[in-house]
Amino acid sequence: MSKSSDAPSSLSDWNAPAILLVDLDAFFASVEQLDHPDWRGKPVIVGGDADAHGVVSTCSYEARAFGVRSAMSSSRAAKLCPHAIWTHGDHGRYREMSNIIMDIIRDETPLVEQVSIDEAFADVTPTRTNREHPVEVASRIQRRVEELGVTCSIGIGTTKALAKIASDMDKPRGLTVVYPGGEEAFLAELPVRILSGVGARAEEALGRYGITTLGQMARADDRILASVFGKNAEEMRARASGCDASGINTEHEAKSVSHEMTFARDLRTQDEIFAALSTILAKVGRRLRRKGLAGATLTIKVRFDDRTLHTAQRRLSDRTDDDLALIPLARELVMRVWRPGIKIRLLGVAMSGFKEDEKVQDSLFDEGTFSEEADASDLLIEDEQKRRGLLSATDALKERFGEDAVVFGSELKAAGNTTGTASKHPADYK
């Protein structure tokens, strides 16, 4: 393994697959510092309001020195770093910069898998016609990104799992290389939690068996891994040992299209809840139509003010991208889990089941669900042709004048009651 911010003068031979993971450093905050020169060198936090249930999307390294981290509540971040510069962020600007950087990566190889607005895998395996060393390619990407005014950290390995772990080892502007043959030594003493797919519960379960490192996980008994990871046990063992075989997915088909809102003021009444649902469904429907997708499964997610999470799911008899048709169904699902007097902090909606043969996930939101076959009935606008005409007209106006150009009356009550928290979810930026 080698760690460097520039390509070494002497490079070892590379006769194996070569995967890069390009991770943009503190991306949202870095773009803000680029666009606001007087913010450079100062703690910058991109996220929602501290007094309105906001969450930190990302923060500059200057803010991280105070203990601020992504996904932290804004109220806690404000206490840790009271002199930080706060901004809700500019999603359009982040998309613009991300697209430029992704084009830089695609200049090097067509085998690029973008996994979020600030991360992408790239296959730069040397070939007969192109023998350029992967480290040289990675160094060139870093230089070109830095010329834009932001930086990235890159991990290089023979697999995606290795590249991902390596990219986190030396930030910011780090270049960590795991050479072929060095995978086992690199991974052996790392904690299991560093591996994608090992969450808090899996870490706890493995710990009960005395398994705390990836080396121990790679050598663990089959029955132990099966009890923790189920059918994914062998895949997780392979990743822990550095020999997983997952390739670059350049298509990256959507499994679901979703949107959620965290509210500055908890929702208390049915009218407030239904208004927020309409707003969320409108965004999901617009994304479905832009992607040319129609889903067969509607899932709603509700987080109450005590932070408990509940979901409900419903299968449709026909696939649809019609958010107006989904409104009564979403309302019904919410009423399954909500009762008057309970305050709601977050609402989410997801559509999935885009293929005829696609198996519907048990839950898109990692909690228990309820599902049943149903028809899209009790529509607010019964005439499908009228609904389609209305949706086409509003889509055209939003395409030309922006997402807020048209708002239905049912959505007005939800206006202004969000935390302003930005998101890195790919569905929000593609």
Side-chain angles (χ1 to χ4, degrees), residues 14 123 129 139 202 207 222 236 239 284 309 324 339 373 377:
W14 196 293
D123 188 332
T129 57
S139 298
D222 290 343
M236 294 303 295
R239 294 170 66 182
V284 171
L309 184 67
L324 295 178
R339 295 292 180 271
E373 295 292 332
S377 57

Side-chain angles (χ1 to χ4, degrees), residues 41-117:
K42 299 178 181 178
V44 174
I45 299 175
V46 181
D49 297 329
D51 58 352
H53 300 165
V55 175
V56 175
S57 290
T58 193
C59 59
S60 67
Y61 285 93
E62 293 85 0
R64 295 182 190 194
F66 289 85
V68 181
R69 295 291 183 268
S70 297
M72 177 182 287
S73 69
S74 296
S75 58
R76 184 182 176 197
K79 292 177 181 177
L80 290 171
C81 191
H83 304 298
I85 298 169
W86 285 79
T87 175
H88 289 169
D90 183 342
H91 295 212
R93 173 63 173 144
Y94 305 151
R95 283 196 297 272
E96 175 189 25
M97 182 65 78
S98 174
N99 290 338
I100 294 171
I101 294 169
M102 295 303 155
D103 285 343
I104 287 174
I105 301 171
R106 292 187 180 96
D107 281 349
E108 301 293 344
T109 173
L111 301 176
V112 176
E113 178 183 343
Q114 183 176 355
V115 292
S116 70
I117 192 171

Side-chain angles (χ1 to χ4, degrees), residues 150-422:
V150 297
T151 65
C152 65
S153 295
I154 299 180
I156 311 177
T158 53
T159 70
K160 290 167 69 174
L162 277 165
K164 171 60 178 172
I165 293 172
S167 71
D168 290 328
M169 299 300 290
D170 187 21
K171 286 177 168 287
R173 199 177 174 271
L175 176 56
T176 301
V177 185
V178 183
Y179 278 92
E183 296 89 351
E184 185 176 352
F186 171 72
L187 294 170
E189 299 303 318
L190 296 178
V192 293
R193 187 64 183 274
I194 204 170
L195 185 66
S196 178
V198 180
R201 291 182 183 177
E203 180 185 31
E204 181 181 353
L206 290 168
R208 289 197 290 267
Y209 294 103
I211 299 171
T212 59
T213 68
L214 292 181
Q216 292 170 332
M217 182 174 158
R219 298 187 299 271
D221 185 272
D222 290 343
R223 290 170 295 181
I224 293 176
L225 293 188
S227 70
V228 177
F229 298 110
K231 64 182 181 181
N232 298 319
E234 283 310 306
E235 177 186 350
M236 294 303 295
R237 182 196 300 280
R239 294 170 66 182
S241 59
C243 57
D244 65 294
S246 58
I248 298 295
N249 178 9
T250 57
E251 298 295 327
H252 204 68
E253 294 182 358
K255 299 296 184 182
S256 68
V257 173
S258 62
H259 186 75
E260 61 185 45
M261 295 172 63
T262 301
F263 304 101
R265 301 179 304 279
D266 291 338
L267 305 183
R268 299 167 179 263
T269 69
Q270 180 175 291
D271 285 349
E272 291 175 334
I273 295 167
F274 286 178
L277 270 180
S278 296
T279 298
I280 297 167
L281 278 165
K283 293 182 181 298
V284 171
R286 173 129 167 83
R287 289 174 186 161
L288 287 169
R289 292 187 292 275
R290 290 180 68 180
K291 294 172 179 285
L293 297 172
T297 302
L298 172 67
T299 306
I300 63 98
K301 168 183 175 181
V302 182
R303 189 184 298 280
F304 297 137
D305 66 331
D306 63 359
R307 298 189 180 277
T308 58
L309 184 67
H310 303 266
T311 66
Q313 186 179 94
R314 192 165 183 178
R315 292 290 304 275
L316 311 179
S317 58
D318 297 302
R319 286 172 170 75
T320 185
D321 60 5
D322 184 344
D323 50 276
L324 295 178
L326 293 171
I327 287 175
L329 303 182
R331 290 178 175 180
E332 177 190 323
L333 291 177
V334 167
M335 295 305 292
R336 292 188 192 180
V337 298
W338 177 79
R339 295 292 180 271
I342 301 176
K343 302 174 186 177
I344 290 180
R345 176 164 296 185
L346 175 148
L347 275 178
V349 174
M351 283 295 290
S352 60
F354 301 132
K355 295 180 179 179
E356 293 294 335
D357 59 349
E358 185 173 342
K359 182 180 179 180
V360 178
Q361 300 177 48
D362 290 334
S363 173
L364 296 171
F365 297 120
D366 299 325
E367 292 287 337
T369 60
F370 310 88
S371 63
E372 64 182 47
E373 295 292 332
D375 292 311
S377 57
D378 192 26
L379 302 178
L380 300 183
I381 302 176
E382 293 187 13
D383 189 308
E384 182 177 1
Q385 187 173 354
K386 289 182 179 179
R387 290 200 315 274
R388 285 291 171 188
L390 180 59
L391 291 171
S392 295
T394 56
D395 283 350
L397 287 170
K398 289 180 179 182
E399 196 70 41
R400 183 174 181 183
F401 298 109
E403 292 298 319
D404 297 326
V406 181
V407 179
F408 291 115
S410 58
E411 302 174 42
L412 291 175
K413 290 183 180 180
N417 189 23
T418 63
T419 64
T421 302

